[in-house]
Amino acid sequence: MLKIENLQAGYGKVQVLHGITIHVPKGKIVTLIGSNGAGKTTTMRAVSGMIKPTSGQIMLSGQDITGLDSHQIARRGLAHSPEGRRVFPTLSVVDNIRLGAFVRYTNARPKGDVEGDVDKALEMFPRLKERTHQLAGTLSGGEQQMLAMARAVMLNPEVILLDEPSMGLAPILVEEVFNIISRLKAQGVTMLLVEQFAAAALKVADYGYVLENGRISVHGPAAKLKDDPAVKAAYLGG
Ligand code: ATP
């Protein structure tokens, strides 16, 4: 579904990714783990078109999306829920969710039942449902993080990139986010997940890659990585 081949990218003269290859098969969750500054967010940005790769290739459903702009990539069915609070602060929660469906109003994606999907998204995120008409800018950081996730789901995407969905969330909400990820998976959503809670990410994922200094050091089935002594020592708290 999503194939990242030999990707190199960075910022100006600083190269961050030194040729990484990641495959995300249809209907699977693949997680990318690594320490701070390893290049996880940079990978997500390069895939979604926020930054341009300097070399390598990215294929989405058999189409080459390398170097396209982010709106073109969204039209081809890739949703990116970025790290941090990326919501429209002066719009209500429900309008932010509706906006997630914007490409479905172009001919690029099937429109389907947008309002029905808005209701489903609110059901999936009860915290947001309680705050349907609240301005997004007044939500807590964790709630905004959930809103960004709900918006990504509204694209009805082929693939979702989820960057640190649990960032800034209280433990109970972290659990809720992972439950939502499991539910999306049960619906057949394909996902590339970056998570600080590597153990939880490996639990929900099918396959994992470890990124170290812009290179993939280890990859394998999530269940196997969980038991890998080096991965355990470095990322799972021993
Ligand atoms: P974290 O877990 O801390 O979010 P990460 O693995 O997501 O880390 P990146 O955010 O991809 O890491 O950062 C990789 C490297 O790129 C870091 O050295 C960072 O300082 C650098 N970097 C990130 N964004 C920029 C930018 N906009 N301009 C210049 N350098 C950047």
Side-chain angles (χ1 to χ4, degrees), residues 1-8 17 19-24 30 32 43-44 46-48 53 55-60 65-66 78 159 161 192 209 216:
M1 177 61 62
L2 177 68
K3 284 190 172 175
I4 304 168
E5 301 282 352
N6 232 330
L7 177 69
Q8 298 196 20
L17 303 177
I20 65 168
T21 294
I22 294 174
H23 289 179
V24 186
V30 172
L32 182 59
T43 304
M44 300 299 226
V47 173
S48 72
S55 84
Q57 193 182 42
I58 304 164
M59 303 287 290
L60 175 66
I65 57 165
T66 322
L78 184 126
V159 177
L161 306 184
L192 179 59
Y209 290 80
I216 300 294

Side-chain angles (χ1 to χ4, degrees), residues 30-221:
V30 172
T31 186
L32 182 59
I33 58 184
S35 33
N36 292 126
K40 304 180 297 293
T41 294
T42 304
T43 304
M44 300 299 226
R45 287 185 184 140
V47 173
S48 72
M50 285 168 72
I51 61 171
K52 302 280 177 218
T54 47
S55 84
Q57 193 182 42
I58 304 164
M59 303 287 290
L60 175 66
S61 312
Q63 298 180 73
D64 192 345
I65 57 165
T66 322
L68 296 184
D69 291 335
S70 35
H71 68 274
Q72 295 170 312
I73 294 176
R75 276 169 208 219
R76 282 163 179 76
L78 184 126
H80 183 191
S81 175
E83 191 183 32
R85 310 169 184 191
R86 299 288 171 86
V87 299
F88 297 96
T90 59
L91 295 182
S92 69
V93 165
V94 70
D95 283 343
N96 266 275
I97 292 177
R98 276 197 190 101
L99 267 181
F102 72 99
V103 266
R104 291 163 60 178
Y105 289 92
T106 69
N107 291 328
R109 311 276 312 146
K111 179 152 180 263
D113 175 11
V114 172
E115 284 308 311
D117 289 347
V118 169
D119 290 341
K120 276 191 211 151
L122 287 170
E123 293 303 327
M124 193 177 282
F125 296 88
R127 298 231 162 211
L128 298 179
K129 191 172 181 188
E130 290 163 16
R131 296 168 175 79
T132 306
H133 299 290
Q134 190 173 326
L135 292 186
T138 65
L139 294 175
S140 76
E143 290 159 0
Q144 292 188 24
Q145 193 69 28
M146 288 192 169
L147 184 53
M149 212 171 142
R151 227 176 37 201
V153 172
M154 282 301 291
L155 186 70
N156 241 348
E158 307 289 338
V159 177
I160 300 184
L161 306 184
L162 267 188
D163 197 353
E164 303 264 10
S166 74
M167 192 164 69
L169 297 188
I172 180 139
L173 287 189
V174 172
E175 214 180 297
E176 204 171 310
V177 160
F178 276 99
N179 285 336
I180 289 164
I181 293 173
S182 301
R183 270 159 59 198
L184 288 173
K185 185 185 172 181
Q187 292 171 18
V189 171
T190 308
M191 213 180 290
L192 179 59
L193 169 69
V194 164
E195 244 309 315
Q196 52 177 331
F197 294 112
L202 286 172
K203 211 164 148 191
V204 76
D206 299 288
Y207 204 87
Y209 290 80
V210 177
L211 188 61
E212 273 178 34
N213 297 319
R215 290 185 172 85
I216 300 294
S217 57
V218 197
H219 62 99

